[in-house]
Amino acid sequence: MRLSTLRDGTRDGTLAVVDRSGRRAARVPGVAATLQAALDDWQRAEPALRSVSDRLESGELAGEPFEPRSALAPLPRAYEWVDGSSYLNHVVLVRKARGAEPPATLESDPLVYQGGSGVLLGPREPLALPDPGYGLDFESELAVVLGDVPRGTAARDAVGLVRLVLLANDVTYRNLVPAELAKGFGFFVSKPATAFAPFAVTPDELGGAFRDGRVYLRLRTTLNDAVVGDVESGPEMHFSFADLVAHVAKTRAFTAGTILGSGTVSNRDPARGVSCLAELRARETIERGAPETPYLAPGDRVVIEAFDDSGRSVFGSIEQTVVIP
Amino acid sequence: MRLSTLRDGTRDGTLAVVDRSGRRAARVPGVAATLQAALDDWQRAEPALRSVSDRLESGELAGEPFEPRSALAPLPRAYEWVDGSSYLNHVVLVRKARGAEPPATLESDPLVYQGGSGVLLGPREPLALPDPGYGLDFESELAVVLGDVPRGTAARDAVGLVRLVLLANDVTYRNLVPAELAKGFGFFVSKPATAFAPFAVTPDELGGAFRDGRVYLRLRTTLNDAVVGDVESGPEMHFSFADLVAHVAKTRAFTAGTILGSGTVSNRDPARGVSCLAELRARETIERGAPETPYLAPGDRVVIEAFDDSGRSVFGSIEQTVVIP
């Protein structure tokens, strides 16, 4: 089942079920007005949404045309956005380029940060670059939406708490990062609003591509129509989503609708390319002493999409153009 | 006007107006079911809530008895919880005790971190100590609830965006902090759920005690009935709430209902005491080479309250007992 949130002038938009073709949508006012409302009452809402999905697929329900431009983020505002950094190749490369060692606990203790969740961007919203010196970068990654997570949840119990899978562009102002991290409290102004692809999909919709708490898809990122990355999201995800849940739930509980990210998807094989420019610049710095690829400039266009084995675009596409706001 | 959120078995509770005595409350189903709903539509909701408040005060509306034990956090889940560290004395003391220098930009660039906001505690909920080795500490501080904050909001425009003022206990597991900060991404598991006093008050309710984007009250913290801190919250707040808004809004917007904290309230005069044990332990370390005061233990009871010049407890009290969950 695939869900989307339609722009309707309200803060949280209108929940809709989208068919397999991605071209038809059906609003579900009798089930839940918003995705958060459905997540708050998932046991009741899920079967009702599946019934709508079945009727939309069979043609019993006509629905309405689905237009990606009218989609908001599946959760236009979420109660938490927690982002891991599970692809160790990314961590190692980026730190190596700036002459820093990865943390000693790299392989045993997940890196996560708490991101801003009150304003999340839809798949066609512009990427704001208020100052060209900020060093704007995209970061293609997967994320999951969780049900209620009790404090102390173990990894083995966490997979069952994954309600939906998302595709995200976790934007970063790279040149604001060093000064911010030097203060010791983590990211803040270096992380503007994250953008999301239009479809939130249930794990079963991924079939065998959701297993071991990981999502096995091909994640393609293009910049101005040139492919910069075509990476595998499954095999090199060191900490699974289940591991990340167990880590973040060590000392507190999470409400239904919490979004948990994988971190920038990264493959060791340079031939696969990258899911962020920082990694490309890191490779250039390591090989040739200095970065050559510039960060994003006004007018640049980033497209991010994930494909399953059949070549289907699972989440629809994120297509964003850089603008001076 | 004072607002509170009553426990009713739902995730977001029921919004109520509370009278000046703090003993009577009136639910407002005709205005807004929840505090978030009121904040989402504040221009309409505020005058309607004030009207209820006036009628409750005059006796025209009888209301119902208000019982702090039935209060949830004013926002039991919020879209963002952003906490500053505006009392520089606190930053300097705590870092000095661990042999670290404060950041070079201490006085010009606010320290803020993004906290968990999906599960916030009511004023009588226990303080969980899953492991005595975590080093549980309270942190008494003030916070504001904001209306919609556009990206790029200037400090001069920010005071008008303060909708409500709150009192918080921003709990920390001190012994989990060093390893977490060493990883470079800021706090996460070292910060369990934050607790809030029962009343959210409009700035005008504070009269002259809300000025220059600061809250001028006496903040008293007791531990097992002994006063450990009786501090002034206004004069030593280096960055005002307006300054903090301008900082956090540099690169992104915030939705109505975002909570922004002051950081642990701290006075330079040691006679005023402390609003967290870390500061007391820092003073002990600086003076005598080692901390003497232990962190919280099961059964310990923390009470936090803020008083205006007339001696009124503005937000009601936070009263929490430490338990092994």
Side-chain angles (χ1 to χ4, degrees):
Chain A
M1 175 167 66
R2 301 204 288 185
L3 304 173
S4 192
T5 293
L6 309 182
R7 189 188 310 275
D8 65 356
T10 69
R11 294 172 179 274
D12 299 301
T14 294
L15 179 61
V17 174
V18 178
D19 75 356
R20 281 191 65 81
S21 76
R23 295 202 195 98
R24 308 292 303 172
R27 295 170 198 242
V28 286
V31 182
T34 67
L35 180 52
Q36 183 63 51
L39 291 161
D40 282 347
D41 192 16
W42 192 245
Q43 277 208 303
R44 183 194 59 79
E46 189 197 9
L49 293 170
R50 285 189 186 278
S51 161
V52 172
S53 177
D54 291 344
R55 284 156 54 215
L56 187 65
E57 216 59 68
S58 71
E60 183 191 331
L61 204 63
E64 61 187 280
F66 175 79
E67 167 52 57
R69 197 161 294 277
S70 71
L72 300 174
L75 289 167
R77 48 183 187 174
Y79 288 108
E80 305 209 24
W81 158 232
V82 178
D83 196 13
S85 194
S86 258
Y87 296 86
L88 303 190
N89 185 58
H90 172 77
V91 181
V92 170
L93 266 185
V94 172
R95 299 214 180 189
K96 195 170 173 184
R98 64 169 196 249
E101 288 296 313
T105 55
L106 180 71
E107 295 186 25
S108 59
D109 187 18
L111 275 169
V112 294
Y113 82 93
Q114 183 97 32
S117 57
V119 176
L120 301 173
L121 303 183
R124 297 294 182 275
E125 291 194 65
L127 285 171
L129 182 54
D131 181 329
Y134 283 0
L136 176 63
D137 198 1
F138 52 84
E139 293 189 39
S140 316
E141 61 177 85
L142 293 151
V144 294
V145 179
L146 301 169
D148 288 296
V149 178
R151 181 183 49 220
T153 295
R156 67 179 172 279
D157 300 321
V159 173
L161 300 178
V162 173
R163 298 282 177 261
L164 299 164
V165 184
L166 309 177
L167 175 63
N169 180 12
D170 187 47
V171 190
T172 303
Y173 294 131
R174 296 288 179 193
N175 294 339
L176 300 185
V177 169
E180 194 147 61
L181 293 195
K183 293 196 290 177
F185 274 27
F187 306 102
F188 202 99
V189 297
S190 52
K191 285 288 188 184
T194 302
F196 291 85
F199 308 141
V201 311
T202 49
D204 67 289
E205 179 81 12
L206 295 175
F210 183 77
R211 59 180 192 272
D212 313 324
R214 293 172 179 81
V215 177
Y216 290 77
L217 294 171
R218 286 182 67 170
L219 179 61
R220 194 180 68 190
T221 305
T222 70
L223 172 58
N224 300 327
D225 297 325
V227 174
V228 293
D230 190 349
V231 302
E232 295 283 351
S233 66
E236 296 183 48
M237 187 184 191
H238 182 80
F239 299 106
S240 71
F241 283 111
D243 296 331
L244 293 176
V245 169
H247 174 73
V248 301
K250 179 177 173 179
T251 56
R252 58 184 168 97
F254 294 83
T255 190
T258 293
I259 308 176
L260 176 64
S262 67
T264 310
V265 179
S266 176
N267 287 174
R268 277 182 292 272
D269 179 0
R272 305 309 301 251
V274 297
S275 304
C276 71
L277 294 175
E279 223 176 278
L280 190 55
R281 290 165 56 92
R283 288 195 190 276
E284 292 165 352
T285 302
I286 293 162
E287 285 165 23
R288 298 191 286 280
E292 290 156 17
T293 304
Y295 287 122
L296 298 174
D300 279 348
R301 181 174 154 83
V302 178
V303 177
I304 303 169
E305 222 162 344
F307 301 93
D308 63 15
D309 283 345
S310 73
R312 184 170 73 129
S313 175
V314 177
F315 309 99
S317 61
I318 296 172
E319 302 183 19
Q320 297 183 279
T321 300
V322 180
V323 301
I324 300 168
Chain B
M1 172 167 69
R2 301 204 288 186
L3 304 173
S4 193
T5 293
L6 308 182
R7 189 187 310 274
D8 65 357
T10 70
R11 294 172 180 273
D12 299 300
T14 294
L15 178 61
V17 174
V18 179
D19 76 355
R20 283 192 62 82
S21 76
R23 295 203 196 97
R24 309 291 303 172
R27 294 167 198 243
V28 287
V31 181
T34 66
L35 180 51
Q36 183 64 50
L39 290 161
D40 283 347
D41 192 15
W42 192 244
Q43 278 206 301
R44 183 194 58 78
E46 189 197 8
L49 293 170
R50 285 190 187 278
S51 162
V52 172
S53 178
D54 291 344
R55 285 156 54 214
L56 187 64
E57 215 60 67
S58 72
E60 182 190 331
L61 204 64
E64 61 186 280
F66 175 80
E67 167 51 60
R69 197 161 292 279
S70 71
L72 300 173
L75 289 167
R77 49 183 186 173
Y79 288 108
E80 304 210 23
W81 158 232
V82 178
D83 196 14
S85 194
S86 258
Y87 296 86
L88 303 189
N89 185 58
H90 172 77
V91 181
V92 170
L93 265 184
V94 171
R95 298 214 180 189
K96 194 169 173 185
R98 63 170 197 249
E101 288 297 313
T105 56
L106 180 71
E107 296 186 23
S108 59
D109 187 20
L111 276 168
V112 295
Y113 81 94
Q114 183 97 32
S117 58
V119 176
L120 301 174
L121 303 183
R124 298 293 182 276
E125 291 192 67
L127 285 171
L129 183 54
D131 180 330
Y134 283 180
L136 177 62
D137 197 1
F138 52 85
E139 293 189 40
S140 317
E141 62 177 80
L142 293 151
V144 294
V145 178
L146 300 169
D148 287 296
V149 177
R151 181 184 48 220
T153 294
R156 66 180 174 278
D157 300 322
V159 173
L161 300 177
V162 173
R163 298 282 176 263
L164 299 164
V165 184
L166 308 177
L167 175 65
N169 180 13
D170 186 48
V171 188
T172 303
Y173 293 131
R174 297 286 180 193
N175 295 338
L176 300 185
V177 169
E180 194 146 62
L181 293 195
K183 292 196 289 176
F185 274 26
F187 307 101
F188 202 99
V189 298
S190 52
K191 285 287 188 183
T194 303
F196 290 86
F199 308 141
V201 311
T202 48
D204 66 289
E205 179 82 12
L206 295 175
F210 183 76
R211 60 181 192 271
D212 314 323
R214 294 173 177 81
V215 176
Y216 289 77
L217 294 171
R218 286 182 65 169
L219 180 61
R220 194 180 68 191
T221 305
T222 70
L223 173 57
N224 300 327
D225 297 324
V227 175
V228 292
D230 190 349
V231 301
E232 296 283 350
S233 65
E236 296 182 50
M237 188 184 192
H238 182 79
F239 299 107
S240 71
F241 282 111
D243 296 331
L244 293 176
V245 169
H247 175 73
V248 301
K250 179 178 173 179
T251 57
R252 59 184 168 98
F254 294 83
T255 191
T258 294
I259 308 176
L260 176 64
S262 68
T264 310
V265 179
S266 176
N267 288 173
R268 278 182 291 271
D269 179 0
R272 306 306 302 250
V274 296
S275 304
C276 71
L277 293 175
E279 222 176 279
L280 191 56
R281 290 165 55 93
R283 288 195 191 276
E284 291 165 353
T285 301
I286 294 163
E287 284 164 24
R288 299 191 286 280
E292 291 158 13
T293 305
Y295 288 122
L296 298 173
D300 279 347
R301 181 175 154 82
V302 178
V303 178
I304 302 170
E305 222 163 342
F307 300 93
D308 64 15
D309 283 345
S310 73
R312 183 170 74 131
S313 176
V314 177
F315 309 99
S317 61
I318 296 171
E319 302 184 19
Q320 296 183 280
T321 300
V322 180
V323 302
I324 300 168

